[in-house]
Amino acid sequence: MSARKAFYVTTPIYYVNDAPHIGHAYTTVAGDVLTRWHRQRGEQVWYLTGTDEHGTKVERTAEANGMSPADWTHKLVHESWLPVLATLDVANDDFIRTTSGRHRHGVAVFWQRLKDNGYVYEDVYEGPYCVGCEEFKLPGDLIESSDGEQLCPIHSKPVEMLSERNWWFKLSAFTEPLLEHYKRHSHAVEPKSAYNEVVSFISSGLSDISMSRSAVSWGVPLPWDSDQVVYVWFDALLNYITAIGFGASPDTPEGERFDRIWPADVHLVGKDILRFHAVYWPAMLMAAELPLPRKVFAHGWLLVGGEKMSKTKLTGIAPSQITDTFGADAFRYYFMSAIHFGQDGSFSWEDMHARYTAELANGLGNLVSRATAMVVKYCDGILPEPGPYTNADRNLQDSLLAASERADSAMMRLDFSAGIAAIRGFVEAVNLYVTEQEPWKLAKDDEQTPRLHTVLYVMCESLRAIAVLYNAVMPAAMTSVWSRIGALPHLGPLAERDVTEVSRWGQLPPGALVAKGGALFPRIEETP
Ligand code: MSP
């Protein structure tokens, strides 16, 4: 491995109190698209996801299911959370579980360091706690129900009143350093609305916060007080460093990995957990004298009936309910293109079906089947040599250049829908080109054979570019296109093709063996 800093992307680690729904899948897919894109720019990439297994919420769920927390988390991770990665075609480099030895060790080392650095002291906590959020709530965070009960606004459930002696983290010491940091790094939290929210929260002054729980046993014990465990968020956030070797000595392979990967380039999070990632987490890192993440990106929620989709509210849809009908590629395409990353969005079967039919089955699928079928029919499946290019051919090459540049800059700023729109625009341009060039008419006139060959070459070479550009979003379908146009033996594996060189025309060599295949995106007649 080279010593070059890896581009490090993380998802939140998911609570294993239940099986994944498409809100969770949404973040994991976004991270996968982002990391595949960066890999195709020739960068070293590290993509981490995992599960958050300690705390009251998981402990109570296990109990309600008549199992020990250890058995319960093991079952859920293996039966639900790991399989969903395969369902969605996610190529993560690692999967961290907070119950693992490497994590628990790192957590103990970290908090001992903060205690040694003078940032941890003992006191009493009295106040509200939401088990759904696993969060000590501030009075201003709550809403009141019609019968006067204090509710968590996210879970619409009553908070619990805690009164316990525990250990505190001196968060207040970091008000000024954090404000200074965000003044200097105005892109460290995105989108802008999230940045503003974070800065205004910090500006109102930070209070110290409890970092341990005495009434909970399912967690990592404090190294200096084994009657208490680390508060679940202050255990979970550390996954981003324990997974890559924090806590190991610097001259071991794990320690070397930490130096090569940290800091994170992007922490992807839902907007509900922004404060943990953009306030508490950097303060913890400052206290430990570690570098801060370069960016926290807060995306919106998938909504059902105007509210956050959630298992608690019984509105969760399992990813397989969608992939069983549409496939993983269409799932990835739909959620990354139909919802602007950073804003809320609603899922509907009708919208998914309409976009699938128009953009994938008719738009892209049709282009692939027309191009390959015509090369098979008119040229025995051998990609012909192009003749001289006309303006129409050159215009298409220009639109590829523009589309690839737009796609790259959009993907780099996590604007997935704009990135996909740029690529889709090129697919539409190629379809228009085919309609105007009418290769099926050229095939009827022997004198037009050189022109027919040029048009067929342009179509397949365009598909070569489309496969490279869409690979991050739809890896399985694009790998199939790659093999249908005969690219693999000449150009090597698709995932290794650089997106920044995609517009260089003429990469697919004449003579490549082109084959037809089944429908890339089979028509789906009925919405389920
Ligand atoms: N365990 C914590 C995260 C710890 S990270 C150090 C947690 N887990 S969670 O399972 O409740 O949520 C994980 C992520 O899923 C969050 O980013 C959350 O925003 C996201 N989503 C949960 N429901 C969602 C939607 N309906 N829509 C989009 N994302 C949603 O919080």
Side-chain angles (χ1 to χ4, degrees), residues 12-15 21 23-24 52 233 270 272-273 301-302 308-309:
I13 50 171
Y14 303 100
Y15 287 128
H21 61 62
H24 306 122
D52 188 353
W233 266 101
D272 49 323
I273 57 172
W301 287 337
L302 301 192
K308 178 176 176 236
M309 174 184 300

Side-chain angles (χ1 to χ4, degrees), residues 310-330:
S310 90
K311 275 282 162 101
T312 325
K313 292 181 182 164
L314 303 176
T315 51
I317 300 172
S320 59
Q321 284 176 264
I322 297 175
T323 55
D324 285 351
T325 304
F326 292 98
D329 286 317

Side-chain angles (χ1 to χ4, degrees), residues 331-354:
F331 181 106
R332 298 163 62 100
Y333 176 89
Y334 176 78
F335 284 104
M336 291 300 106
S337 66
I339 301 167
H340 186 254
F341 203 60
Q343 288 169 9
D344 292 346
S346 297
F347 164 78
S348 87
W349 288 100
E350 292 71 21
D351 188 42
M352 169 127 201
H353 184 261

